[in-house]
Amino acid sequence: MLFKLPLLQCVPMTQATNDLMEKIVSLCKRRGFIFQSSEIYGGLAGAWDYGPLGCELKRNVKNAWWKAVVHERDDVAGLDAGILMNPMVWKASGHTDNFIDVLVDCRKCKGRFRKDHVGDKCPNCGAKDFTEGRAFNLMFKTQVGAVEDEKGTVYLRPETAQGIFVNFQNVIDATSRKLPFGIAQIGKSFRNEVTPGNFIFRTREFEQMEIEYFCRPEEADEAYRRWIDERFNWYLNLGIKKENLKIRPHAADELAHYAKGCSDIEYKFPFGWSELEGIANRTDYDLKQHAQFSGKDLQYQDPVTSEKFYPHVIEPSGGCDRGLLAFLADAYHEEEVEGKTRVVLKLSPQLSPVKAAVLPLLKNRPEIVEMAKGIKKDLQKHFVCVYNDTAAIGKLYRRQDEVGTMYCVTVDVDSLTDRQVTVRDRDTMKQERISVDQLKNYLLERLA
Ligand code: GAP
């Protein structure tokens, strides 16, 4: 593959890592984070659906990213380009000709593999008899228009980045941005991966969170270093443990021919250290390619000196689904409490899908139920909040812990007269009596 290789440098699977992955997959299904795609028809390899809690969590990941890279900065603007684009985009970017894996077939067991993944022995049967390698383009093809012919062939984008490059001039014209500045985009990308796997780590349809940061050529090295730090710290600030993150600079022979540098932020997944996000110095390659193929002048003109040149580009490119898997794996926690195992998702307050659960101590007391539902209605104007009365309080607490709910608010008989409720903290399990009038502010302060 001409582009960056998806890494498969996994550490050997131990029973413990296997178990953790199984526990996460099982929790995701059981509690409505992630389901197998079209499961009732037997599923589809490499495809997954996000359930009620999963789509909240994913939305929170995307919001946290957008807040950090667009809203809290002065030098990045947002974009939402289409998935379908003029096929010339992919000719210019190199994807039509070079976005390929080389595949080989084992002549004995007929298994098909990526050549760079097999070594000299078939991973299935051990035979050493492979066919010649054949190039396989990873882009999904589809048709536009009613007539099915070559002219109507378009591709599902394999990365969001090219939508940014082809809109570079539009964004400058519309916003009068001056260098250095970036354009950020979140969106679906599609790759016909030969070996999807490890749950949502490698799939054929996934979401990317990408920035193209345009700067003067002489500023590029410094911007590259800064973005590596900023993106690394973003994961730390959202609660990932430092010992589970590392930066891996690419060796010279791993770099695409146009790239001056590339570093991966890697996470220690249960199946081994693997890429979470890549930060690349792409030089002026993409803008020059699009200028050449489109015939348009995509140079930047300095508004003061009128000097014209192609900006260089730093690209922090992360996967939303991969990030979400890392946040889940890092947050998964088991502990012994009163002789029983308590499972807690210690997600950061920003990411937790549910911020508070309001629980009536006695569901057969209509005044308590009414009060609890009223409190939930007030709180849900400010953050995601649920009401639940489907089990005894101990079980309800455990269920909320397991999905990472930050606070449980319990309404009991005394609440009816003293207008106070019990607030339980997910991580410490400490309980405090709080007046209903103070509740919203109490929670907002702690969720900030
Ligand atoms: N524009 C540069 C680019 O697309 P990439 O390393 O191929 O670079 C960037 O992809 C990120 O997208 C990866 O770090 C990963 O998080 C995510 N990603 C790539 N392929 C993926 C797949 N098949 N499934 C899930 N996420 C994927």
Coordinates of all heavy atoms in Angstrom, one line a residue, residues 244-305:
N244 N -0.9 4.2 28.9 CA -1.5 3.5 27.7 C -1.4 4.2 26.4 O -2.0 3.8 25.4 CB -3.0 3.2 28.0 CG -3.1 2.2 29.2 OD1 -2.2 1.4 29.4 ND2 -4.3 2.2 29.8
L245 N -0.7 5.3 26.4 CA -0.6 6.1 25.2 C 0.9 6.3 24.9 O 1.7 6.5 25.8 CB -1.1 7.6 25.4 CG -2.6 7.9 25.2 CD1 -2.8 9.3 25.4 CD2 -3.1 7.4 23.9
K246 N 1.2 6.3 23.6 CA 2.6 6.7 23.2 C 2.6 7.3 21.8 O 1.7 7.1 21.0 CB 3.5 5.5 23.3 CG 3.4 4.4 22.3 CD 4.4 3.3 22.5 CE 4.2 2.2 21.5 NZ 4.9 1.0 21.8
I247 N 3.7 8.0 21.5 CA 3.9 8.5 20.2 C 4.9 7.7 19.5 O 6.0 7.5 20.0 CB 4.4 10.0 20.3 CG1 3.2 10.8 20.9 CG2 4.7 10.6 18.9 CD1 3.7 12.2 21.4
R248 N 4.6 7.3 18.3 CA 5.6 6.5 17.5 C 5.9 7.2 16.2 O 5.1 7.2 15.3 CB 5.0 5.1 17.2 CG 6.0 4.1 16.6 CD 5.3 2.8 16.2 NE 4.5 2.9 15.0 CZ 4.9 2.9 13.8 NH1 6.2 2.7 13.5 NH2 4.1 3.0 12.8
P249 N 7.1 7.8 16.1 CA 7.5 8.5 14.8 C 7.7 7.4 13.8 O 8.2 6.3 14.1 CB 8.8 9.2 15.2 CG 8.9 9.1 16.7 CD 8.1 7.9 17.1
H250 N 7.2 7.6 12.6 CA 7.4 6.7 11.5 C 8.9 6.6 11.0 O 9.5 7.7 11.0 CB 6.6 7.0 10.3 CG 5.1 6.6 10.5 ND1 4.3 6.4 9.5 CD2 4.4 6.5 11.6 CE1 3.1 6.1 10.0 NE2 3.2 6.1 11.3
A251 N 9.4 5.5 10.7 CA 10.7 5.3 10.1 C 10.6 5.9 8.7 O 9.5 5.9 8.1 CB 11.1 3.9 10.1
A252 N 11.8 6.3 8.1 CA 11.8 6.9 6.8 C 11.1 6.0 5.7 O 10.4 6.4 4.9 CB 13.2 7.2 6.4
D253 N 11.3 4.7 5.9 CA 10.7 3.8 4.8 C 9.2 3.5 5.0 O 8.6 2.9 4.2 CB 11.5 2.4 4.8 CG 11.4 1.7 6.1 OD1 10.8 2.2 7.0 OD2 11.9 0.5 6.1
E254 N 8.6 4.0 6.0 CA 7.2 3.9 6.2 C 6.4 5.1 5.6 O 5.2 5.1 5.5 CB 6.8 3.9 7.7 CG 7.0 2.6 8.4 CD 6.6 2.8 9.9 OE1 5.4 2.6 10.2 OE2 7.5 3.2 10.7
L255 N 7.2 6.2 5.3 CA 6.5 7.5 4.9 C 6.1 7.4 3.5 O 6.8 6.8 2.6 CB 7.5 8.6 5.1 CG 7.9 9.0 6.5 CD1 9.0 10.1 6.4 CD2 6.7 9.5 7.3
A256 N 4.9 8.0 3.2 CA 4.5 8.2 1.8 C 5.6 9.1 1.1 O 6.2 9.9 1.8 CB 3.2 8.8 1.7
H257 N 5.7 9.0 -0.2 CA 6.9 9.7 -0.8 C 6.8 11.2 -0.7 O 7.8 11.9 -0.7 CB 6.9 9.3 -2.3 CG 5.7 9.8 -3.1 ND1 5.6 11.0 -3.7 CD2 4.5 9.2 -3.3 CE1 4.5 11.1 -4.3 NE2 3.8 10.0 -4.1
Y258 N 5.6 11.7 -0.5 CA 5.5 13.2 -0.4 C 5.6 13.7 1.1 O 5.7 14.9 1.3 CB 4.1 13.7 -0.9 CG 2.9 12.9 -0.4 CD1 2.4 13.2 0.9 CD2 2.4 11.8 -1.1 CE1 1.4 12.5 1.4 CE2 1.3 11.1 -0.5 CZ 0.8 11.4 0.7 OH -0.2 10.7 1.2
A259 N 5.5 12.7 2.1 CA 5.4 13.2 3.5 C 6.8 13.5 4.0 O 7.8 12.7 3.8 CB 4.7 12.1 4.3
K260 N 6.9 14.5 4.8 CA 8.2 14.9 5.4 C 8.3 14.2 6.8 O 9.4 14.0 7.3 CB 8.3 16.4 5.5 CG 9.7 16.9 5.8 CD 9.8 18.4 5.7 CE 11.1 18.8 6.4 NZ 11.0 20.2 6.9
G261 N 7.2 13.9 7.4 CA 7.2 13.3 8.7 C 5.8 12.8 9.0 O 4.8 13.3 8.5
C262 N 5.8 11.8 9.9 CA 4.5 11.3 10.3 C 4.7 10.6 11.7 O 5.7 9.9 11.9 CB 3.9 10.3 9.3 SG 2.3 9.7 9.8
S263 N 3.8 10.9 12.6 CA 3.9 10.2 13.9 C 2.5 9.7 14.3 O 1.5 10.4 14.1 CB 4.3 11.2 15.0 OG 5.6 11.6 14.9
D264 N 2.5 8.5 14.8 CA 1.2 7.9 15.3 C 1.1 8.1 16.8 O 2.0 7.9 17.5 CB 1.1 6.4 14.9 CG 0.9 6.2 13.5 OD1 0.5 7.1 12.7 OD2 1.2 5.0 13.0
I265 N -0.1 8.4 17.2 CA -0.4 8.3 18.6 C -1.0 6.9 18.7 O -2.0 6.5 18.1 CB -1.5 9.3 19.1 CG1 -0.9 10.8 18.9 CG2 -1.9 9.1 20.5 CD1 -1.9 11.9 19.2
E266 N -0.3 6.1 19.6 CA -0.8 4.7 19.7 C -1.4 4.5 21.1 O -1.0 5.1 22.1 CB 0.4 3.7 19.5 CG 1.0 3.7 18.1 CD 1.9 2.6 17.9 OE1 2.4 1.9 18.8 OE2 2.2 2.4 16.7
Y267 N -2.3 3.6 21.1 CA -3.0 3.2 22.4 C -2.7 1.7 22.7 O -2.7 0.9 21.7 CB -4.5 3.5 22.3 CG -5.2 3.1 23.6 CD1 -5.0 3.8 24.8 CD2 -6.0 1.9 23.6 CE1 -5.6 3.4 25.9 CE2 -6.6 1.5 24.8 CZ -6.4 2.3 26.0 OH -7.0 1.9 27.1
K268 N -2.6 1.4 23.9 CA -2.4 0.0 24.3 C -3.7 -0.7 24.4 O -4.3 -0.8 25.5 CB -1.6 -0.1 25.6 CG -1.0 -1.4 25.9 CD -0.3 -1.2 27.2 CE 0.3 -2.5 27.7 NZ 0.9 -2.4 29.0
F269 N -4.3 -1.1 23.2 CA -5.5 -1.8 23.2 C -5.4 -3.2 23.8 O -4.2 -3.7 24.0 CB -6.0 -2.0 21.7 CG -6.5 -0.7 21.1 CD1 -5.6 0.1 20.3 CD2 -7.8 -0.3 21.3 CE1 -6.1 1.2 19.7 CE2 -8.2 0.9 20.7 CZ -7.4 1.6 19.9
P270 N -6.5 -3.8 24.2 CA -6.4 -5.1 24.8 C -5.6 -6.1 23.9 O -5.1 -7.1 24.3 CB -7.8 -5.6 25.0 CG -8.6 -4.3 25.1 CD -7.9 -3.3 24.2
F271 N -5.7 -5.8 22.6 CA -5.0 -6.7 21.6 C -3.6 -6.2 21.2 O -3.0 -6.7 20.3 CB -5.8 -6.9 20.3 CG -6.4 -5.6 19.8 CD1 -5.7 -4.8 19.0 CD2 -7.7 -5.2 20.2 CE1 -6.2 -3.6 18.5 CE2 -8.2 -4.0 19.7 CZ -7.5 -3.2 18.8
G272 N -3.1 -5.1 21.9 CA -1.8 -4.7 21.6 C -1.7 -3.2 21.2 O -2.7 -2.6 21.0
W273 N -0.5 -2.6 21.2 CA -0.3 -1.2 20.8 C -0.7 -1.1 19.4 O -0.2 -1.8 18.5 CB 1.2 -0.8 21.0 CG 1.6 -0.6 22.4 CD1 2.3 -1.5 23.2 CD2 1.4 0.5 23.2 NE1 2.5 -1.0 24.4 CE2 2.0 0.3 24.5 CE3 0.8 1.8 23.0 CZ2 2.0 1.2 25.5 CZ3 0.8 2.7 24.0 CH2 1.4 2.4 25.2
S274 N -1.6 -0.1 19.1 CA -2.0 0.1 17.7 C -2.4 1.6 17.5 O -2.7 2.3 18.5 CB -3.2 -0.7 17.4 OG -2.9 -2.1 17.3
E275 N -2.4 2.0 16.3 CA -2.6 3.4 15.9 C -4.0 3.9 16.3 O -5.0 3.2 16.0 CB -2.4 3.5 14.4 CG -2.7 4.9 13.9 CD -2.7 5.0 12.4 OE1 -2.1 4.2 11.7 OE2 -3.3 6.0 11.8
L276 N -4.0 5.1 16.9 CA -5.3 5.7 17.3 C -5.5 6.9 16.3 O -6.5 7.2 15.8 CB -5.1 6.3 18.7 CG -6.2 6.6 19.6 CD1 -7.3 5.5 19.6 CD2 -5.7 6.9 21.0
E277 N -4.4 7.6 16.0 CA -4.4 8.8 15.2 C -3.0 9.0 14.6 O -2.0 8.7 15.2 CB -4.8 10.0 16.1 CG -4.6 11.3 15.5 CD -5.4 12.4 16.2 OE1 -6.2 12.1 17.1 OE2 -5.2 13.6 15.9
G278 N -3.0 9.6 13.4 CA -1.7 9.9 12.8 C -1.6 11.4 12.6 O -2.6 12.1 12.3
I279 N -0.4 11.9 12.8 CA -0.1 13.3 12.5 C 0.9 13.4 11.5 O 2.1 12.9 11.7 CB 0.3 14.1 13.8 CG1 -0.9 14.1 14.8 CG2 0.6 15.6 13.5 CD1 -0.7 13.2 15.9
A280 N 0.6 13.9 10.3 CA 1.5 13.9 9.2 C 1.9 15.3 8.7 O 1.0 16.2 8.7 CB 0.9 13.1 8.0
N281 N 3.1 15.4 8.2 CA 3.5 16.6 7.5 C 3.5 16.3 6.0 O 4.3 15.6 5.5 CB 5.0 17.0 7.9 CG 5.4 18.3 7.2 OD1 4.9 18.7 6.2 ND2 6.5 18.8 7.7
R282 N 2.4 16.8 5.4 CA 2.1 16.3 4.0 C 2.7 17.3 3.0 O 2.4 17.2 1.8 CB 0.6 16.3 3.7 CG -0.1 15.2 4.6 CD -1.6 15.2 4.3 NE -1.9 14.7 3.0 CZ -2.4 13.5 2.8 NH1 -2.7 12.7 3.8 NH2 -2.6 13.1 1.5
T283 N 3.5 18.2 3.4 CA 4.2 19.3 2.6 C 3.1 20.0 1.7 O 1.9 20.1 2.2 CB 5.3 18.7 1.7 OG1 4.7 17.7 0.8 CG2 6.3 18.0 2.6
D284 N 3.4 20.3 0.5 CA 2.4 21.0 -0.4 C 1.9 20.1 -1.4 O 1.3 20.5 -2.4 CB 3.1 22.2 -1.0 CG 4.4 21.9 -1.8 OD1 4.7 20.7 -1.9 OD2 5.0 22.8 -2.3
Y285 N 2.0 18.8 -1.2 CA 1.7 17.8 -2.2 C 0.2 17.8 -2.6 O 0.0 17.9 -3.8 CB 2.0 16.4 -1.6 CG 1.5 15.2 -2.5 CD1 2.3 14.9 -3.6 CD2 0.4 14.5 -2.3 CE1 1.9 13.8 -4.4 CE2 0.0 13.5 -3.1 CZ 0.7 13.2 -4.2 OH 0.3 12.2 -5.0
D286 N -0.7 17.8 -1.7 CA -2.1 17.7 -2.1 C -2.6 18.9 -2.9 O -3.3 18.8 -3.9 CB -3.0 17.5 -0.8 CG -2.5 16.3 -0.1 OD1 -1.7 16.5 0.8 OD2 -3.0 15.2 -0.3
L287 N -2.3 20.1 -2.4 CA -2.7 21.3 -3.1 C -2.1 21.4 -4.5 O -2.8 21.8 -5.5 CB -2.4 22.6 -2.3 CG -3.2 22.9 -1.1 CD1 -2.7 24.1 -0.3 CD2 -4.7 23.0 -1.4
K288 N -0.9 21.0 -4.6 CA -0.2 21.0 -5.9 C -0.9 20.0 -6.9 O -1.1 20.3 -8.0 CB 1.3 20.7 -5.8 CG 2.1 22.0 -5.5 CD 3.6 21.6 -5.6 CE 4.4 22.9 -5.5 NZ 5.8 22.5 -5.1
Q289 N -1.2 18.8 -6.3 CA -1.8 17.8 -7.2 C -3.2 18.3 -7.7 O -3.5 18.2 -8.8 CB -2.1 16.5 -6.4 CG -0.8 15.7 -6.1 CD -0.3 15.1 -7.4 OE1 0.7 15.5 -7.9 NE2 -1.0 14.1 -7.9
H290 N -4.0 18.9 -6.7 CA -5.3 19.4 -7.2 C -5.2 20.6 -8.1 O -6.0 20.7 -9.0 CB -6.2 19.7 -5.9 CG -6.6 18.5 -5.2 ND1 -7.4 17.5 -5.8 CD2 -6.4 18.0 -4.0 CE1 -7.7 16.5 -5.0 NE2 -7.1 16.8 -3.8
A291 N -4.2 21.4 -7.9 CA -4.0 22.5 -8.9 C -3.7 22.0 -10.3 O -4.3 22.4 -11.3 CB -2.9 23.4 -8.4
Q292 N -2.8 21.0 -10.3 CA -2.4 20.4 -11.6 C -3.6 19.7 -12.3 O -3.9 19.9 -13.5 CB -1.3 19.4 -11.3 CG -0.7 18.8 -12.6 CD 0.2 17.6 -12.3 OE1 0.8 17.5 -11.3 NE2 0.2 16.7 -13.3
F293 N -4.4 18.9 -11.5 CA -5.5 18.2 -12.2 C -6.7 19.0 -12.5 O -7.4 18.7 -13.4 CB -5.9 17.0 -11.3 CG -5.0 15.8 -11.4 CD1 -3.7 15.8 -10.9 CD2 -5.4 14.6 -12.1 CE1 -2.8 14.7 -11.1 CE2 -4.6 13.5 -12.3 CZ -3.3 13.6 -11.8
S294 N -6.9 20.1 -11.7 CA -8.1 20.9 -11.9 C -7.8 22.1 -12.8 O -8.7 22.7 -13.4 CB -8.7 21.4 -10.6 OG -7.7 22.3 -10.0
G295 N -6.5 22.4 -12.9 CA -6.2 23.6 -13.7 C -6.4 24.9 -13.0 O -6.3 26.0 -13.6
K296 N -6.8 24.8 -11.7 CA -7.1 26.0 -10.9 C -5.8 26.4 -10.1 O -5.1 25.5 -9.7 CB -8.2 25.8 -9.9 CG -9.5 25.3 -10.6 CD -10.2 26.6 -11.2 CE -11.6 26.3 -11.7 NZ -11.7 25.3 -12.8
D297 N -5.7 27.7 -9.9 CA -4.6 28.2 -9.1 C -4.9 28.1 -7.7 O -5.8 28.8 -7.2 CB -4.3 29.7 -9.5 CG -3.1 30.2 -8.7 OD1 -2.4 29.4 -8.0 OD2 -2.8 31.4 -8.9
L298 N -4.3 27.2 -7.0 CA -4.7 27.0 -5.5 C -3.6 27.5 -4.6 O -3.5 27.1 -3.5 CB -4.9 25.5 -5.2 CG -6.1 24.8 -6.0 CD1 -6.2 23.4 -5.6 CD2 -7.4 25.6 -5.7
Q299 N -2.8 28.5 -5.2 CA -1.8 29.1 -4.3 C -2.4 30.1 -3.4 O -3.5 30.6 -3.6 CB -0.7 29.8 -5.2 CG 0.1 28.9 -6.0 CD 1.1 29.7 -6.8 OE1 2.2 29.9 -6.3 NE2 0.7 30.1 -8.0
Y300 N -1.7 30.2 -2.3 CA -2.2 31.3 -1.3 C -1.5 32.6 -1.6 O -0.3 32.6 -2.0 CB -1.7 30.8 0.1 CG -2.0 31.8 1.2 CD1 -3.2 32.0 1.8 CD2 -0.9 32.6 1.7 CE1 -3.4 32.9 2.8 CE2 -1.1 33.5 2.7 CZ -2.4 33.7 3.2 OH -2.6 34.6 4.2
Q301 N -2.3 33.7 -1.5 CA -1.7 35.0 -1.8 C -1.6 35.8 -0.5 O -2.6 36.0 0.1 CB -2.5 35.7 -2.8 CG -1.8 37.1 -3.2 CD -2.3 37.6 -4.5 OE1 -3.4 37.3 -4.9 NE2 -1.5 38.5 -5.1
D302 N -0.4 36.1 -0.1 CA -0.3 36.9 1.1 C -1.0 38.2 1.0 O -0.6 39.0 0.0 CB 1.2 37.1 1.5 CG 1.4 37.7 2.8 OD1 1.0 38.9 3.0 OD2 1.9 37.0 3.7
P303 N -1.9 38.6 1.9 CA -2.7 39.8 1.7 C -1.8 41.1 1.8 O -2.2 42.1 1.3 CB -3.8 39.8 2.8 CG -3.3 38.7 3.7 CD -2.3 37.8 3.1
V304 N -0.7 41.0 2.5 CA 0.2 42.2 2.7 C 1.2 42.3 1.6 O 1.3 43.3 0.9 CB 0.9 42.2 4.1 CG1 1.7 43.4 4.3 CG2 -0.2 42.0 5.2
T305 N 1.9 41.2 1.3 CA 3.0 41.3 0.4 C 2.6 40.9 -1.1 O 3.4 41.0 -2.0 CB 4.2 40.4 0.8 OG1 3.7 39.0 0.8 CG2 4.7 40.7 2.2

